[in-house]
Amino acid sequence: MQRRSFLKAGLLGGLALVAGGAVYRQLRPAVPERFALDAAGRTMLAVLIPAITGVSPDAAALQAAIDRVGAAINGLPLRVQKEISDLFGLLNMAPTRRLLAGVPAWPQASPAQVAAFLEGWRTHRTEMLQTAYHGLHDLVLGAWYAESSTWAAIAYSGPMKELSA
């Protein structure tokens, strides 16, 4: 690839991100409000949870985990909820999802594509994408292992019982 082509591609990519951000800001209010897990967010989590946990849960367990992720997000400060809402919005808007995550619509994303997206963000040279990865990772794993039925997979018997004297 020639230097000029590389610079043009970089400029076009930057403009696409700016345009996507502008459209997103027009669709979402700037005032922090409580996080609402919509259908697009639930669909995305249904793909991300098995990829992050390494477990293919049944439909009921998956829906329960999605609900726990939503509840965990709602327990965070409003400013953080707004940041997560922005992240979910970017990952659910087709142009930015393709550009940032490299996956098609979430239901059509293959496990390999999702794994590559997560690994790419985990090891990315940009701290912002690493932070976004760690946020998603911690939210999903925290919500997953908050349910005692998932503990057996990691040989955790639960919290220690207090001994009475």
Side-chain angles (χ1 to χ4, degrees):
M1 176 182 275
Q2 293 180 351
R3 181 176 168 214
R4 184 171 289 196
S5 298
F6 180 75
L7 291 174
K8 284 180 184 178
L11 181 62
L12 288 175
L15 289 174
L17 277 175
V18 168
V23 169
Y24 178 75
R25 287 285 175 211
Q26 292 298 320
L27 298 175
R28 298 270 187 164
V31 177
E33 43 187 57
R34 295 211 70 68
F35 178 81
L37 187 56
D38 59 8
R42 294 182 76 80
T43 300
M44 180 183 73
L45 286 172
V47 174
L48 292 178
I49 288 172
I52 292 172
T53 62
V55 176
S56 295
D58 62 40
L62 184 60
Q63 291 308 312
I66 291 169
D67 291 339
R68 288 192 305 272
V69 170
I73 294 169
N74 281 316
L76 297 170
L78 285 178
R79 178 185 56 78
V80 177
Q81 290 183 39
K82 174 70 173 125
E83 290 174 3
I84 293 170
S85 180
D86 289 347
L87 176 62
F88 275 48
L90 288 172
L91 288 175
N92 281 309
M93 202 164 48
T96 53
R97 180 186 58 249
R98 280 288 207 180
L99 190 62
L100 293 173
V103 296
W106 288 110
Q108 286 79 38
S110 72
Q113 288 172 316
V114 176
F117 147 63
L118 291 170
E119 182 62 16
W121 276 28
R122 187 181 74 79
T123 60
H124 202 276
R125 69 178 183 270
T126 306
E127 187 178 348
M128 182 180 66
L129 293 181
Q130 289 180 11
T131 301
Y133 164 80
H134 288 292
L136 283 173
H137 180 268
D138 292 353
L139 280 169
V140 167
L141 285 183
W144 180 257
Y145 288 114
E147 171 57 41
S148 61
S149 66
T150 63
W151 297 347
I154 58 171
Y156 177 61
S157 59
M160 293 179 61
K161 307 293 187 253
E162 186 174 319
L163 299 175
S164 56

